[in-house]
Amino acid sequence: MKFKLRQLEAFQAVAKTGSVTRAAKSLGISQPATSRLLSDFSKTVAIDLFRREGGVLIPTSEARYLLSEVGRVFDSLQHLEELNRDLTDRTAGHLRIACLPGFATTLLPELLAEFLKERPGVSLTLEPDRPERILEWMIGEQYDCGITDEFTGHPAVEHTNVPIKTACVLPKGHPLAELDCLSPLDLKNERFIHARRDSPFYTRLSNTFADYGVLMNTWVEVRQFSTACIMVGQGQGVTIVSALDAEQYRNSNIEIRRFEPEIHHWLSILKPASGSRSLLSLDFVDTFMDSLSPYMSDTKDRL
């Protein structure tokens, strides 16, 4: 059984007005067109829709039952129109973000709170995990976007690599805080809290120290820059991390100083290569990129 929306509109209008003429006027079409729509609908449902009493068309008992269902149809269509408008305006929908654990507790909560404030109809899933798991989710199209470290490529994933400046983090009141800029020579006697030895960032850092003829005094190896910043804030060693992470802990009993020669940390934003691109996820990526702009390096290097 197939209905046309215009037939349902004619049926509902006649029931409300009690007249084909008045129904035609409310619909903005001719009386013959309204009569034809009503006749075709009556044939489709195979029941009598109206009886005439005193010149007024009165819905039959069967028609009254149909009217309640037709009302639900138009309510659903109105909701669909509103939802479509919200989705087009990016004020409704569901956003799924996978990220490194550090982002879930530093930059993203405040950023997402502001993002959602302007989009009251949007719901969110934020899932932190290790880079390997984030990649699995992106390949499986389980999340709209992922935020991870130094991604080098996969055919099922699109990515944007963003070079982030790095900074030296010292305990509050450290003697080296008197300097505006620090080099490996300044740090040769300091105990280092650093990234994993198998990470590309550690390789770049240790190579930089070697170029200055300095052996890095490694002490604590950590997976997350946030862990290094917290430990430094407790007076334990020094570290070199992304300027973005350092800034999140500026008020945690630390000193932040520029480090030269400039090295950078690569941050990667991932999206599934196949599947649709929701306007909402594109908006979030733009918002996230804007938040990174103060920390981005102007390097022209690529991974």
Side-chain angles (χ1 to χ4, degrees):
M1 187 178 294
K2 295 182 179 179
F3 306 131
K4 293 181 180 179
L5 284 178
R6 205 57 170 158
Q7 292 173 354
L8 299 181
E9 288 177 335
F11 170 52
Q12 190 180 61
V14 172
K16 286 181 177 179
T17 63
S19 162
V20 173
T21 301
R22 287 191 291 272
K25 186 176 181 180
S26 69
L27 294 173
I29 59 177
S30 67
Q31 181 176 333
T34 304
S35 297
R36 185 167 58 255
L37 289 169
L38 192 63
S39 175
D40 290 344
F41 181 60
S42 180
K43 291 176 183 177
T44 301
V45 297
I47 63 172
D48 292 330
L49 298 175
F50 297 95
R51 68 178 186 276
R52 187 177 293 276
E53 293 183 5
V56 178
L57 294 176
I58 306 296
T60 64
S61 58
E62 295 87 355
R64 285 197 296 272
Y65 181 80
L66 276 178
L67 279 168
S68 64
E69 296 303 316
V70 169
R72 291 190 183 94
V73 169
F74 283 111
D75 287 344
S76 296
L77 287 174
Q78 182 178 359
H79 175 70
L80 185 61
E81 289 177 358
E82 292 171 353
L83 179 60
N84 180 66
R85 183 171 60 252
D86 287 341
L87 289 172
T88 302
D89 294 338
R90 285 85 150 179
T91 57
H94 187 73
L95 181 62
R96 303 164 301 170
I97 305 169
C99 69
L100 298 172
F103 281 101
T105 57
T106 54
L107 178 68
L108 285 182
E110 184 175 346
L111 182 71
L112 287 171
E114 288 298 317
F115 186 81
L116 294 176
K117 189 182 297 182
E118 300 174 0
R119 299 163 177 83
V122 172
S123 57
L124 171 73
T125 297
L126 178 64
E127 188 68 40
D129 213 317
R130 64 191 189 281
E132 298 82 2
R133 188 64 173 146
I134 293 173
L135 177 58
E136 291 176 13
W137 288 333
M138 291 298 107
I139 293 172
E141 300 182 24
Q142 294 174 263
Y143 286 79
D144 298 304
C145 64
I147 302 170
T148 189
D149 284 332
E150 309 223 8
F151 184 67
T152 55
H154 188 283
V157 177
E158 293 181 0
H159 65 283
T160 301
N161 291 324
V162 183
I164 302 296
K165 299 174 184 177
T166 51
C168 183
V169 180
L170 311 166
K172 197 75 172 179
H174 193 286
L176 288 176
E178 295 180 359
L179 302 176
D180 293 330
C181 180
L182 300 172
S183 76
L185 293 174
D186 299 310
L187 300 169
K188 62 183 179 180
N189 296 319
E190 300 298 325
R191 295 194 299 179
F192 252 86
I193 303 170
H194 57 76
R196 301 184 331 271
R197 294 175 188 270
D198 61 350
S199 69
F201 181 76
Y202 176 81
T203 299
R204 289 195 295 274
L205 183 61
S206 60
N207 287 343
T208 300
F209 271 70
D211 290 342
Y212 276 70
V214 175
L215 180 64
M216 188 189 303
N217 183 13
T218 62
W219 181 44
V220 177
E221 181 177 340
V222 296
R223 175 177 284 272
Q224 299 176 37
F225 287 157
S226 57
T227 305
C229 291
I230 292 170
M231 291 189 68
V232 171
Q234 296 296 317
Q236 300 300 311
V238 303
T239 190
I240 294 175
V241 298
S242 86
L244 175 60
D245 285 87
E247 187 62 31
Q248 306 308 309
Y249 293 90
R250 178 174 289 278
N251 297 322
S252 300
N253 212 32
I254 63 172
E255 306 270 7
I256 302 173
R257 295 295 181 268
R258 190 158 44 92
F259 178 75
E260 288 187 358
E262 181 180 339
I263 58 175
H264 47 268
H265 170 249
W266 288 97
L267 190 64
S268 299
I269 302 171
L270 313 185
K271 294 179 289 185
S274 59
S276 61
R277 295 284 182 276
S278 75
L279 297 175
L280 189 59
S281 65
L282 295 176
D283 267 1
F284 167 73
V285 170
D286 287 344
T287 300
F288 182 64
M289 289 291 287
D290 286 344
S291 74
L292 297 179
S293 59
Y295 313 103
M296 290 173 59
S297 169
D298 59 1
T299 178
K300 300 185 183 302
D301 296 341
R302 293 292 180 267
L303 284 176

